[in-house]
Amino acid sequence: MTAETLFPLVPWVVLIPLAGILINLLAGRALGERGVGLVASLAALGSFAVSVLLAVGLAQQPEGQSLLLARWMSIGSLNVDWAFRVDTLSVTMMLVVSGVGTLIHIYSIGYMHDDTRHNGDPARFRRFFLYLNLFIAAMMVLVSADNYLMMFVGWEGVGLCSYLLIGFWFEKGEAGLGNARAAKKAFVVNRIGDLGFLIAMFTMFWAFGSLSFGEVLPRAAEAAPAVLLAITLFFLLAVTGKSAQLPLFTWLPDAMAGPTPVSALIHAATMVTAGVYLVARSLPILAAAPAAQSAVLWVGALTALFAATIAVAQTDIKRVLAFSTISQLGFMVAAVGMGAVVAGMFHLITHAFFKALLFLGAGSVILGMERGHERHAQAHDGHHGGFDPQDMRFMGGLRSRMPVTFWVYLIGGLALAGVAPLSGFFSKDEILAAAEQVSPAVFVVLLIAALLTAFYVARQLALVFFGRGRSEAARAATESSPVITVPLGILAALAAVGGALNLPGSHLLGDWLHHTVEPLVEAGFNPLTAGIALVIALAGLGLGWLLYGRSPLTRAEEPDPLAVRLKGLFTWLRRKWYVDEIYNALFVTPYTRLSQMLAGPVDQGLIDGVVNGAGGMARLLGNLGRSLQNGYVRSYALIMLVGVALIFTFLLAR
């Protein structure tokens, strides 16, 4: 098969997941749970298969191709096509999204089975997989787009899907509204970033007369520096929203309200990586605006450090991973901001492997705790008491109760920490090597973030898997089924060997991406930097083990060892530096109070008054017209006579 025959297959990366949605919509009730899960998983797998074929085509024709599907809109000088771009950058993202997405789909069959039974709603299971397929389709539109407007469609699509999936358990959470509020928060915060994307597009069209990658990017240097700066900074606003960077990061930790497979999909393969892809795709614009380049670099670096400080104090197993995602995205944004796009994409890929593994592993732990809790409750006449299956303080000792989950989680955790020879070691080292070249200050910031990363990995491993169980649920926990553990095993293997994509001396990924993007900074393997990074990782792991592993907690009520040492600072870290409280005080509360204050005089008084007045006038005129329609000929003749008289009077007056 040649590139000419393979490239036209690209629309199917979107169409196959949509076909999965259609089949499950029409026949899902008859298919049952297994059938629905199988159809959805095969749809994601089909998208992955097409992505592989596109990669084969690119191996023959690395420069790629743009394929027109349909003329979309033509308004004045604005001409936008629905066209797909097949190049090494887009296909890399397709492979990651569909590949990891397929494993998450398979895992979800087992994970969501218990949910549908618990809630007594079989249709919920089908609805969940419809949303998953739609998420994959929207992300495929985003990464395969040949212009910024089509990318924006996918950009908004993943935002919609995140709202649906984060709020999937909408009836749960604080006061029965917690999850719904989390979904709304994600939706609103992302709209702020999306506004930046829209303004950047408007500015781009004003400057270049086009939104097509093929027309805009080669001409980036022709625009005025102020215009390029504006475009890049507005794109940065979009990135901070979608990829949860400072200051718009607050929605992502709350996104843990969704089912665990959703957390894995959002944090590992889709949505949050969209911002990194946007910057990588727009690298020529970034390169022509040095001031904006510096802004992107520092936003990423400071986010990496800031989120890592918060992660060290969290007790929810998924919330630790959420802040870890924000921190690792900071590494990626810093990398593409400094122009080391290969290093950033390399870390995006490896992060997708080990972070999906960690989230799905956390899901396995949560299910194990729930099973243990149910067994204990049944043995004690249904007495449940207060229980949170995600609170690490109630875990412990799960290494023996859930050995498969433990070993795969250990691999994912060490890869995240950057321990050689696992995948995270190689990708993180390339980012640090690039930072050392570009900015020593950024290098130091990222090193501190790497130290904290290793520390909270050790802390989590010790609290969850070592020592003795600190609750009856932990002591009665059981291992998950193969439909859950098999995807975990595959992801563990990828997290272990994923560094082979860009090993020192081979540079497979670098050579692959060079056909599409030209890095501003070549970040190869640096033995000294790698050695420093490894020492930092081991030091963080050792410190975490000294505090939490050497003498494990025996009771859930025991004070956290770090809290004992940090005292008041630990509370600040635990409360996320009070950022949510500050935002509420500065923005949410004043807006709410202003809305309440204006509701009476403006909404109910002025606006409702105008509307009601218009309605009253219409009713009055209607009544007047009805009174004239009395059925008497003499009345109609009189009206006609009066009308003629008025007309003559008007003509004479002229």
Side-chain angles (χ1 to χ4, degrees), residues 224-230 232-233 283-296 337:
V227 173
L228 292 174
L229 179 63
T232 308
L233 290 180
L283 190 62
I285 299 176
L286 185 70
Q293 191 176 347
S294 180
V296 175

Side-chain angles (χ1 to χ4, degrees), residues 25-50:
L25 270 176
L26 298 177
R29 187 172 298 180
L31 290 172
E33 280 190 13
R34 290 186 178 181
V36 167
L38 180 62
V39 168
S41 300
L42 288 175
L45 181 62
S47 189
F48 176 71
V50 174

